Amino acid sequence: MAGSLPLPRLVVVLLPGMRADDLGSPELPTLQRLIAEGGSGWMICRAARTSDRSLLRPDGRETTDSLLVTLGSGSRAVAPAKPPSTPAEFTAALKAVNAKLDHSVPLGALGDLCHHRGILTATIGDADSAWPDRNAWLLAADSAGRVDFPTVVAPLMPDDMAPGGVRPDVNAMLSLTRQRLERAGLVVVDCEALARADEYAALCLPPLTARHRGDARKCVDALLSGLALLCRPAGGSPATALLILSPGPAESSQEAQDRLAPLVFYADGSAGVLASPSTRRPGIVLNTDVLATIADRWQAPLPTGTTGRAFHTLPAPATAFRPAESPSALALIHQYHQLLRDSRLQNSPGGLPTVQLLLPLLGPVFFLLASRCKNTRTALCLSRLIASLACVTVTLPVGMLLLPLLNPVSSGQAAALLIVLGSVIGLLAFQRPGLAAPLFNGLCGLTTAALLLDLFTGTSLLQRAWMSYSAVEGARFYGIGNEYMGVAMGAALSLYGGGRTEKETAGNGGKALRDFRSLAFGLLFLVLTAVMGVFGAKVGAIPSAGLAFGVTGLVQWRRRLEGKGAGGLVLLALSGLGLLALFDARHAAGNQTHFIRALTGEGGGTLPDILRRKLALEGWLLLHSSWSATLLAAGGGLLWLRRSHPALFAGRRQAAAYAGIWAGTVASLLCNDSGLTAAALLLLYGWAWAAVRASET
């Protein structure tokens, strides 16, 4: 039963307001020792999406209350804007506000898990609020709002020189923890010293702010030193693990992209870097993974509706920032700045949807001017501009994929590199008209090859690409995102539809060349679809790329798209998803993809719920995203070229590529969350492919 404590105990230490610079502070030697001896990393802190600005911080990030509820629920949740004054009222308000979300949230999942396992819970907090352990209560309370041993009086001491006139009574907190550990298996300790220093920083001069911060660090270090002693195993009793975390980024962090918080797990044999199947990136875990890790430690099943996966510890690699004799806190700080810098660069260009919108808009203008221009030289110049625009269009995605290898330190340097690359390619296509088509095809081939190689080798390029997901934003951490899925399909189909038509390759071994080309591209399409779906962890690539390439092959083979053939393609795509599900089901639950977890209902909702959310998100993006304009401009430009230059699409391969582009566009919108970007970029490649061919006529 509960009093016998058959399972290892756990102490969770909440340190709101902790920043990256605190980790290397000389005032926190105990924390640095725990980092070096335990598992450490960065936690991505995200709560539920909400359009109600009153439920967010002024800068648009999630509130600490919402992040704490998310930690305790194992699923992204939200807390009310004005917290009620009692736990019972708060529980009712939490249920009301989370009932309005587009997914179910198992509120109080951590507390319920403990009580189902016969484990008692305790909370200790120094918050001078309506109830002293409110932050700790948000994490540990069960679905009924119950904590077995709450704190009655906040362990605080008066101090006229401290922020708010109080400071934590560390001795009292340690004494309470010792008492609670005699009966409780989960003890949550909340220390608000750093958060108070943050809160009062705006009211103080810099020297006093620094003093408050230093005093807060000393309090935290004393607390951690005492807790580390309490958690050492004694006799034959199970070891008590120590989990140290900040529930979210500090209030003093001015970076709008910053959603990183430090996390340290101190237990037997846990030294190294934390890693999670949720991110597949060493040193990065999700806040929803905390509950899954606790459940795994206690060998308990995950509550229904939780979405996280248990994190584990990997050996820390030896780097310049972490030699054997130095603390790994330096490596954590370095990783933080690297992640934040990558996030700034990824968010600054944002895929350049506005720039890529202008390219297909300018194309028809130049075409019309060239067709009405009586001056042959001017018309030729306009035709060269069209080819140049098409080449620049396919330069931007491959540039945003490869140029981060040069490690630009600012958005200005990144923009300059991209402008230089685009200008060089554009001028080359303009000055050498005969090189425009080979240059275009070469760029498409380079893009396809780079993406395939990167997917096979761990997606190191995609993780830092400027037109890709941001780990700090928590949108995607591994595999291929919608942006480069659209790019991969567009580049491959542009390559297939390029070159000479069947009539132009007739004779002189033309049939053998065509057969070899069809076989080679069929293999490429098959490999690309499989790699994006499996190595790229992009389940939506199987129906999207599968239908795009399948329609291309069907039109190439039968010259037209038939109902029977289309039905066969749909069945083939469903068979591919079925094979992926069978392959995925063989893995352990923690290593399965979101697809199989959705089928089994373990990914935070049933498959119909997930499909409904995806369609709702796609509808919202179509009305609000800047990529919608790019989609319309590129699609309109491609349709206009199809109508004004029908001869360009008369060849069988050209007709097949054109049909595949539109099939992939529709499938991307229907089968992917945020598939709008994939559809827009696929049509953008289709327009560029048709434009460079039209410029040759």
Side-chain angles (χ1 to χ4, degrees):
M1 298 301 292
S4 62
L5 293 176
L7 298 173
R9 296 170 296 183
L10 175 66
V11 175
V12 180
V13 186
L14 301 177
L15 299 174
M18 178 171 284
R19 303 189 305 242
D21 59 299
D22 293 320
L23 304 182
S25 168
E27 294 147 333
L28 284 168
T30 302
L31 178 61
Q32 293 160 15
R33 177 176 63 83
L34 295 176
I35 290 173
E37 296 177 2
S40 59
W42 291 98
M43 180 174 66
I44 306 295
C45 304
R46 294 301 303 261
R49 289 191 182 99
T50 176
S51 57
D52 187 349
R53 300 290 298 183
S54 67
L55 301 178
L56 301 171
R57 293 184 187 180
D59 60 9
R61 287 180 291 179
E62 296 87 341
T63 64
T64 300
D65 282 358
S66 293
L67 295 172
L68 283 165
V69 175
T70 297
L71 281 169
S73 303
S75 177
R76 292 184 180 182
V78 67
K82 295 181 179 179
S85 57
T86 66
E89 292 176 358
F90 205 135
T91 301
L94 275 177
K95 292 179 179 178
V97 72
N98 283 278
K100 300 176 182 178
L101 299 177
D102 60 358
H103 62 280
S104 60
V105 179
L107 294 171
L110 177 56
D112 285 344
L113 184 150
C114 291
H115 291 150
H116 290 161
R117 295 288 285 164
I119 298 171
L120 301 181
T121 57
T123 51
I124 300 166
D126 66 340
D128 46 348
S129 57
W131 65 96
D133 58 357
R134 193 172 68 84
N135 279 0
W137 177 90
L138 285 171
L139 175 60
D142 64 13
S143 55
R146 181 168 62 95
V147 171
D148 298 301
F149 302 106
T151 300
V152 178
V153 179
L156 289 167
M157 297 179 64
D159 186 345
D160 293 337
M161 299 302 295
V166 294
R167 63 180 175 86
D169 189 339
V170 173
N171 290 331
M173 296 178 79
L174 292 173
S175 178
L176 283 170
T177 305
R178 185 182 296 106
Q179 295 173 25
R180 299 297 186 244
L181 282 174
E182 292 177 358
R183 299 190 62 188
L186 172 69
V187 180
V188 181
V189 182
D190 174 42
C191 180
E192 297 285 317
L194 293 170
R196 286 195 193 90
D198 261 2
E199 183 180 354
Y200 280 82
L203 307 176
C204 307
L205 294 173
L208 186 57
T209 298
R211 177 180 171 181
H212 285 165
R213 193 81 187 178
D215 291 343
R217 287 167 172 167
K218 292 176 183 177
C219 286
V220 169
D221 192 74
L223 177 64
L224 293 178
S225 178
L227 290 174
L229 289 174
L230 289 176
C231 292
R232 287 179 179 174
S237 62
T240 301
L242 189 60
L243 182 62
I244 305 165
L245 60 90
S246 174
E251 294 281 353
S252 54
S253 173
Q254 300 301 314
E255 290 278 357
Q257 292 87 15
D258 188 4
R259 285 181 167 82
L260 297 167
L263 181 73
V264 181
F265 186 57
Y266 181 66
D268 292 338
S270 63
V273 175
L274 295 179
S276 166
S278 296
T279 63
R280 301 188 189 180
R281 295 183 66 174
I284 306 177
V285 302
L286 301 185
N287 55 351
T288 51
D289 292 336
V290 170
L291 175 61
T293 303
I294 296 174
D296 181 70
R297 183 171 177 79
W298 287 337
Q299 300 177 351
L302 275 175
T304 303
T306 57
T307 59
R309 305 178 189 184
F311 53 72
H312 54 280
T313 306
L314 298 175
T319 67
F321 297 92
R322 198 188 190 283
E325 67 275 6
S326 70
S328 57
L330 295 177
L332 272 183
I333 296 171
H334 172 70
Q335 186 184 27
Y336 169 82
H337 290 296
Q338 180 68 55
L339 287 169
L340 214 56
R341 187 180 73 175
D342 288 347
S343 178
R344 283 195 296 266
L345 293 175
Q346 288 169 325
N347 282 277
S348 179
L352 301 175
T354 303
V355 174
Q356 301 192 69
L357 163 66
L358 295 175
L359 297 173
L361 287 178
L362 288 174
V365 174
F366 290 156
F367 273 117
L368 290 173
L369 291 175
S371 64
R372 298 185 179 184
C373 183
K374 297 181 179 180
N375 187 306
T376 305
R377 188 172 182 177
T378 303
L380 181 60
C381 181
L382 290 169
S383 178
R384 291 183 177 185
L385 281 174
I386 294 168
S388 180
L389 281 177
C391 289
V392 170
T393 299
V394 298
T395 299
L396 294 176
V398 71
M400 286 186 277
L401 178 68
L402 298 177
L403 287 183
L405 293 174
L406 300 179
N407 290 316
V409 297
S410 67
S411 299
Q413 285 190 10
L417 287 171
L418 205 56
I419 290 171
V420 168
L421 178 63
S423 299
V424 169
I425 296 296
L427 286 173
L428 188 60
F430 181 82
Q431 293 291 339
R432 302 284 185 89
L435 284 178
L439 189 61
F440 178 88
N441 291 330
L443 288 167
C444 289
L446 174 63
T447 304
T448 306
L451 286 172
L452 278 173
L453 180 62
D454 192 45
L455 287 168
F456 274 120
T457 56
T459 67
S460 59
L461 292 177
L462 285 166
Q463 288 173 3
R464 299 187 61 197
W466 300 334
M467 189 178 69
S468 192
Y469 44 83
S470 167
V472 175
E473 287 293 314
R476 193 173 181 86
F477 304 96
Y478 57 89
I480 189 168
N482 285 303
E483 296 88 351
Y484 278 103
M485 183 187 76
V487 167
M489 291 191 295
L493 289 172
S494 296
L495 275 175
Y496 183 71
R500 294 178 293 174
T501 64
E502 287 81 357
K503 291 183 179 180
E504 294 170 329
T505 58
N508 297 325
K511 183 178 185 304
L513 179 63
R514 292 195 301 270
D515 291 343
F516 175 77
R517 182 189 182 101
S518 298
L519 180 63
F521 272 96
L523 182 61
L524 172 64
F525 293 159
L526 181 63
V527 170
L528 192 57
T529 303
V531 168
M532 287 193 295
V534 179
F535 291 92
K538 187 69 178 171
V539 174
I542 293 177
S544 299
L547 289 176
F549 298 147
V551 166
T552 300
L554 186 62
V555 173
Q556 170 71 22
W557 178 41
R558 303 294 295 271
R559 289 184 175 270
R560 59 193 178 92
L561 186 62
E562 300 173 334
K564 184 183 295 185
L569 289 176
V570 172
L571 288 176
L572 188 62
L574 292 175
S575 299
L577 289 173
L579 289 174
L580 177 63
L582 290 174
F583 173 78
D584 206 17
R586 298 174 59 188
H587 293 90
N591 294 317
Q592 291 176 345
T593 66
H594 296 295
F595 177 61
I596 189 66
R597 300 184 83 205
L599 291 177
T600 58
E602 295 180 358
T606 62
L607 188 59
D609 291 336
I610 294 173
L611 292 175
R612 185 168 58 251
R613 291 204 302 268
K614 287 179 182 291
L615 291 176
L617 175 61
E618 205 68 69
W620 187 91
L621 288 173
L622 283 169
L623 296 176
H624 296 86
S625 174
S626 54
W627 284 104
S628 293
T630 306
L631 176 82
L632 294 175
L638 181 58
L639 289 172
W640 181 80
L641 284 171
R642 176 70 175 82
R643 182 176 180 182
S644 60
H645 297 72
L648 298 177
F649 306 89
R652 184 178 290 189
R653 278 191 296 103
Q654 287 70 34
Y658 179 80
I661 287 169
W662 283 107
T665 298
V666 174
S668 296
L669 289 171
L670 294 177
C671 302
N672 297 272
D673 51 340
S674 304
L676 172 64
T677 52
L681 286 159
L682 176 55
L683 285 177
L684 195 64
Y685 267 79
W687 170 84
W689 159 69
V692 77
R693 289 180 57 80
S695 67
E696 297 176 317
T697 60

